[in-house]
Amino acid sequence: MGTTQLDTVPEPKYWHLKTVIGEALDSDFAVGEILPNERELAARFGVARATLRQALEQLELEGRLQRRRGVGTTVAPPRMGVDVSASPQDWPGSSTDAWQPVGCTTALPPAAVARALDTDIDEDVHTLRRMLVTHGQPVAAELLYVPSSSVPELSAIDAPAGAARARAVLRELQHLAPAGLDRAVELGSARADDAKELDRLPGAPVLVVTTRYFTEGRTAVVSVATYRADTCRLTFGAAGDLEIRHDAAQRRAS
């Protein structure tokens, strides 16, 4: 990172500093690399630490930086695209499904999920916990609700609990014939369990994506996925393929 004359620019100092640091992140730093401490950065740019903090906060909001407890400020990986279109998607558990099974329990689902699945309010369903990881970092946590009617051949003997049970449920889902889906997205705040798994503080902003998968005229599966808002971007199928690379040497759209 080089120095720059901040007093001669018309925009606020922190905003111009944000741009300068952002360009340096593309050319001088690798994903996951730890930035110098605030004192060193402030001295290098000749700004007050308060100005530097404002610039770093903006870069964090834009998903360019991450502040990790016990580590410091690191360069964030590129935001992961979250397709929120209603076009056909990979069925849960298919060969291209990137979610990692964590565990599986049998329990009553939330009332809204029971209504979507058209199950009795006192009927237990298989509840799978899965994680999505990119660049070695968890970016989303999912609860996948599967009624027994969707996996009638599931054997409790072969996989009684945990991740093995989750994988068994996902294998059984492959016997169904996918017939479309619908999806809803809303902004939310991380619950305590999601926040812990996503390395965020409770109440941190998240994207909550609820998906219903259909087969033979009924809802076969309901997914409630919680994405870190600072690591993800929404895409809309073919219309969402625009990609802008923050690269000082090359900027392109495809």
Side-chain angles (χ1 to χ4, degrees):
M1 293 184 186
T3 59
T4 183
Q5 296 295 323
L6 298 178
D7 291 332
T8 61
V9 295
E11 66 242 57
K13 287 184 179 182
Y14 81 89
W15 195 260
H16 181 67
L17 180 59
K18 174 190 77 77
T19 302
V20 173
I21 296 176
E23 291 175 350
L25 295 179
D26 293 321
S27 58
D28 300 338
F29 290 86
V31 170
E33 188 170 348
I34 302 174
L35 265 62
N37 60 43
E38 288 186 358
R39 179 176 299 176
E40 182 179 340
L41 287 176
R44 182 175 299 183
F45 289 102
V47 297
R49 292 176 68 176
T51 301
L52 175 69
R53 288 194 189 101
Q54 286 182 294
L56 296 179
E57 286 171 0
Q58 287 297 317
L59 288 166
E60 184 180 13
L61 288 173
E62 293 176 7
R64 305 298 313 283
L65 295 176
Q66 293 176 345
R67 298 189 182 188
R68 301 172 60 186
R69 291 182 294 243
V71 176
T73 301
T74 62
V75 180
R79 290 192 182 224
M80 183 188 68
V82 179
D83 187 355
V84 295
S85 65
S87 59
Q89 301 288 316
D90 294 323
W91 196 252
S94 66
S95 59
T96 56
D97 186 352
W99 290 88
Q100 301 177 8
V102 175
C104 179
T105 61
T106 302
L108 291 176
V113 172
R115 289 194 296 270
L117 291 171
D118 196 24
T119 59
D120 294 335
I121 59 173
D122 58 350
E123 180 180 339
D124 289 344
V125 301
H126 303 288
T127 304
L128 284 65
R129 186 79 176 180
R130 304 200 297 171
M131 298 296 298
L132 192 59
V133 178
T134 180
H135 293 87
Q137 172 184 280
V139 296
E142 179 193 48
L143 289 174
L144 200 66
Y145 299 96
V146 183
S148 297
S149 58
S150 292
V151 288
E153 302 300 321
L154 182 66
S155 171
I157 299 176
D158 294 339
R165 178 72 168 180
R167 288 191 290 269
V169 172
L170 293 169
R171 283 195 300 271
E172 288 300 311
L173 286 177
Q174 305 315 302
H175 298 157
L176 300 177
L181 60 86
D182 66 22
R183 177 166 285 139
V185 184
E186 59 184 328
L187 293 175
S189 300
R191 300 177 307 175
D193 52 349
D194 290 329
K196 182 178 180 180
E197 291 188 322
L198 297 176
D199 192 25
R200 304 295 287 166
L201 293 174
V206 294
L207 297 174
V208 180
V209 181
T210 302
T211 306
R212 295 191 301 167
Y213 295 91
F214 302 112
T215 183
E216 299 177 350
R218 65 181 178 86
T219 301
V221 183
V222 170
S223 163
V224 180
T226 302
Y227 292 81
R228 286 181 52 157
D230 63 325
T231 61
C232 301
R233 59 184 174 84
L234 302 182
T235 66
F236 299 87
D241 291 339
L242 178 68
E243 178 184 1
I244 300 177
R245 297 182 58 188
H246 297 279
D247 192 313
Q250 177 184 17
R251 295 182 185 273
R252 65 178 177 84
S254 60

